[in-house]
Amino acid sequence: MAEADAIGPPRLTAGAFLRRHWLALALLPALIGLLLPGHATLIRCAGSIGFPYQLDREEGFLLEQGLRLADGETIYPSLKDYPYTVGNYPPVYPVLLAVGTLVAGDSLAPGRILAGLAAFLIAGLILYAVLREPAGGLVGGLIAVGLFLGTWALSEWIAFVRVDLPALALGMAGFVLGTGRQSRLRLAAVVALFSLAFFTKQTQIIAPLALFGAMLWRRQWRGAGVFAAAMAGTCAVFLGLLVLATAGEFWRHTVAYNANAMYWNQVPVWLAHLRDFSGFALVALIPAAGFLVWSECHRPGPVPEEPEGPHQPSRSLVAPASLLYLGLAGLSLLTTAKAGSASNYLLEFLAVAALVTGLGISRAAELLQNSALGPRRRRTAVAAAVVLALLLLCHGASGSLNIGGTIARHRLFRQPPPPELREQLALVELHLSEFGSPVLAEEPIFAIRTGSPVLYQPFIMTQLAREGKWDPAPFVADLEEGRFGAILTNQDLARDGHFPGFTEEMRRAILRAYRLREQIGGHFIYVPLDADAKGPLRQFAWQQ
């Protein structure tokens, strides 16, 4: 019996356990610190679903696109007559909203549910990608999830009916699936997911580029060529069909009208935003990515492309692909210079940064268990791991406690809309319902809920007018003649200044033909000076 005990597996003592898992234990306080910001994000998501009014200026226009598709109408009009609205994005997301309108009518709830589900899917894919690795650890995966759920950008956009999170979820699904074992069926699924992501948001091209680059990095020439050809062919076919079906309007709306002016002074503003809300986490990304790079540089030679057997090593591309993805997403931050950019431009970078941090933690834990590591390298690795743990602890604490000026002003990030806001906006809707149709509303949800057609998309059309891509003269003439039953804006047009929803010519036309009837909070309702002078607008060409 004693001999059997002697040859049995050694018992794991408390000291051995601490030496083996000290990094995971050191990261637990940071993980706890990430719970509160992530919890606040979930509260905002749940608390916004049933809110019937807009929380973002473009939500109502996307809902209106869904309603229009459900009625068999185009979402890419010619802009030669009403509606003066732009379909900025490919049709996948409006089609999903159209399905939602068949169930819930003109409610924003389906779109917000879709945004929440997409955010949870992204978080789950990040966790799965970390745990799938041979060195994957639960703490590293949960840290990555916490970093993503606790970002300001997600806490803001998870409540919006916007394309960004669904597009990112589809792209991330294709990325995670594509970095695993390869087969023809998997390749088809990856191409399908990436194509759906591209036709949800046309800028969703970074993930497939990163995957293609990782295949080249691993010298998987044949797989890279097949993947590139399948992606290019699939997207070209559907792009051509959409252009033909819309007589070229799809291209004009999603490409030409989207090529807005770039204001490069905005890039430092958004970089400062990242510094203020994710500074510690982004600094922690440096040692985490360092562990990932080191482990990739010291792995065996190129992995063959033949089918894997049960005893062959994993061919996961997740580490090199994630590093390339991070670099490309970092370069994409330059697009924050585009007119109208917002924190949604940061979402992809923050999601990939969280993934790389989680992978780096897992690789660090694996590296620290390597008995062949020399003393100097071990000391360097231990120091980097300690710095990584401390930085993540500081990030978690800054988001959970009232620390730092910026964080203190936005403690727990964005909150669900309060009841008093709902009451105020219901009063705005009640007042608008008293006036004749059509209503011109900067927030089109009010036009939709009062039965008025959505005729004008303020920010985008104004930007196109300023860039010389659209002639606003007919629209200005209708404003001069007081042909709208009421105009709802979020600004006092009587004050001089820059108005993102109207050009100066439009503003002056409104002030000449309309008077301010009501101001409810930040909403201004203008009505014609002579409501019976000109009658309603002519029939719209797109309705004939």
Side-chain angles (χ1 to χ4, degrees):
M1 191 71 174
E3 185 177 352
D5 290 340
I7 62 174
R11 290 184 300 173
L12 185 63
T13 64
F17 179 83
L18 290 174
R19 286 192 298 273
R20 188 182 182 106
H21 300 288
W22 69 267
L23 180 56
L25 295 173
L27 287 167
L28 283 178
L31 179 59
I32 295 171
L34 292 172
L35 293 178
L36 194 54
H39 178 66
T41 298
L42 301 182
I43 291 177
R44 173 168 163 81
C45 175
S48 302
I49 289 173
F51 189 70
Y53 301 103
Q54 290 181 221
L55 296 170
D56 173 76
R57 70 184 177 198
E58 298 299 322
E59 283 186 289
F61 293 107
L62 284 165
L63 173 62
E64 196 266 342
Q65 288 180 14
L67 291 166
R68 209 185 297 175
L69 279 178
D71 290 337
E73 299 170 5
T74 182
I75 59 175
Y76 306 112
S78 67
L79 302 188
K80 295 177 181 178
D81 201 341
Y82 293 99
Y84 296 130
T85 59
V86 174
N88 287 100
Y89 302 107
V92 170
Y93 188 67
V95 167
L96 294 175
L97 292 181
V99 175
T101 63
L102 297 177
V103 177
D106 58 10
S107 171
L108 293 163
R112 289 185 177 141
I113 291 173
L114 186 59
L117 291 176
F120 300 144
L121 177 58
I122 295 167
L125 289 166
I126 290 173
L127 178 62
Y128 173 73
V130 175
L131 294 179
R132 188 184 62 184
E133 283 286 273
L138 182 61
V139 172
L142 293 177
I143 286 282
V145 170
L147 286 172
F148 176 65
L149 291 180
T151 59
W152 162 273
L154 181 63
S155 72
E156 183 176 29
W157 287 82
I158 199 172
F160 295 162
V161 182
R162 295 296 297 267
V163 304
D164 305 274
L165 287 171
L168 181 55
L170 289 167
M172 188 68 75
F175 178 80
V176 172
L177 190 64
T179 54
R181 296 173 181 267
Q182 299 170 17
S183 67
R184 291 180 180 177
L185 181 61
R186 184 180 289 257
L187 173 64
V190 169
V191 170
L193 287 167
F194 279 147
S195 299
L196 284 171
F198 177 74
F199 285 104
T200 302
K201 187 179 182 183
Q202 62 272 37
T203 56
Q204 197 65 40
I205 60 174
I206 299 176
L209 286 176
L211 181 59
F212 176 72
M215 289 179 177
L216 296 180
W217 186 343
R218 289 282 180 83
R219 303 180 189 178
Q220 296 180 3
W221 315 119
R222 184 181 61 192
V226 172
F227 169 69
M231 275 296 305
T234 301
C235 291
V237 167
F238 283 99
L239 181 61
L241 290 174
L242 284 168
V243 171
L244 288 174
T246 60
E249 291 298 337
F250 172 77
W251 181 266
R252 279 187 281 272
H253 280 246
T254 59
V255 179
Y257 297 158
N258 252 329
N260 299 133
M262 304 292 280
Y263 301 102
W264 296 106
N265 60 338
Q266 291 300 304
V267 176
V269 174
W270 286 111
L271 293 179
H273 176 96
L274 283 174
R275 177 202 64 204
D276 292 339
F277 287 95
S278 300
F280 288 116
L282 294 181
V283 176
L285 181 61
I286 297 173
F291 281 117
L292 207 55
V293 171
W294 192 94
S295 64
E296 282 300 302
C297 291
H298 289 77
R299 63 179 290 116
V303 182
E305 294 193 71
E306 289 74 18
E308 294 180 352
H311 303 295
Q312 289 182 292
S314 170
R315 295 187 298 168
S316 172
L317 295 170
V318 69
S322 297
L323 289 168
L324 288 172
Y325 198 176
L326 179 66
L328 293 172
L331 289 175
S332 75
L333 294 177
L334 294 175
T335 61
T336 55
K338 182 182 175 183
S341 64
S343 57
N344 57 323
Y345 283 57
L346 311 177
L347 280 170
E348 189 165 20
F349 172 76
L350 291 169
V352 183
L355 172 61
V356 170
T357 302
L359 291 170
I361 289 170
S362 296
R363 292 294 178 92
E366 180 189 42
L367 178 64
L368 293 170
Q369 299 304 314
N370 188 353
S371 58
L373 201 64
R376 170 185 274 182
R377 288 183 174 178
R378 178 172 293 279
R379 286 194 295 270
T380 302
V382 169
V386 169
V387 170
L388 172 62
L390 289 174
L391 287 169
L392 290 174
L393 175 61
C394 291
H395 175 72
S398 66
S400 299
L401 305 175
N402 198 10
I403 297 176
T406 302
I407 297 296
R409 287 193 298 271
H410 303 283
R411 189 165 181 247
L412 296 185
F413 299 158
R414 298 294 294 268
Q415 298 295 308
E420 54 269 25
L421 177 60
R422 183 170 185 156
E423 295 171 2
Q424 181 186 98
L425 297 181
L427 185 59
V428 173
E429 180 185 346
L430 179 64
H431 279 277
L432 282 179
S433 64
E434 299 175 1
F435 307 112
S437 178
V439 169
L440 179 64
E442 281 196 75
E443 296 179 24
I445 190 64
F446 291 105
I448 293 171
R449 291 176 64 88
T450 56
S452 174
V454 175
L455 303 176
Y456 178 69
Q457 195 167 1
F459 174 77
I460 293 174
M461 296 309 301
T462 300
Q463 192 66 31
L464 293 180
R466 287 169 176 157
E467 294 173 8
K469 297 177 181 178
W470 171 64
D471 179 12
F475 176 66
V476 173
D478 286 331
L479 291 176
E480 291 271 15
E481 295 176 5
R483 290 186 171 231
F484 293 95
I487 297 177
L488 174 68
T489 80
N490 302 115
Q491 303 149 95
D492 183 358
L493 299 179
R495 294 184 179 181
D496 292 331
H498 175 82
F499 297 94
F502 301 100
T503 64
E504 180 62 18
E505 185 183 19
M506 296 174 192
R507 183 181 78 92
R508 293 184 181 279
I510 293 172
L511 292 179
R512 284 193 293 266
Y514 291 79
R515 61 182 176 84
L516 180 63
R517 169 70 179 271
E518 300 284 349
Q519 178 182 352
I520 304 172
H523 293 79
F524 299 81
I525 301 176
Y526 290 84
V527 296
L529 293 175
D530 185 355
D532 299 322
K534 298 297 180 182
L537 282 168
R538 61 193 177 278
Q539 187 180 27
F540 313 123
W542 58 278
Q543 288 183 321
Q544 295 176 357

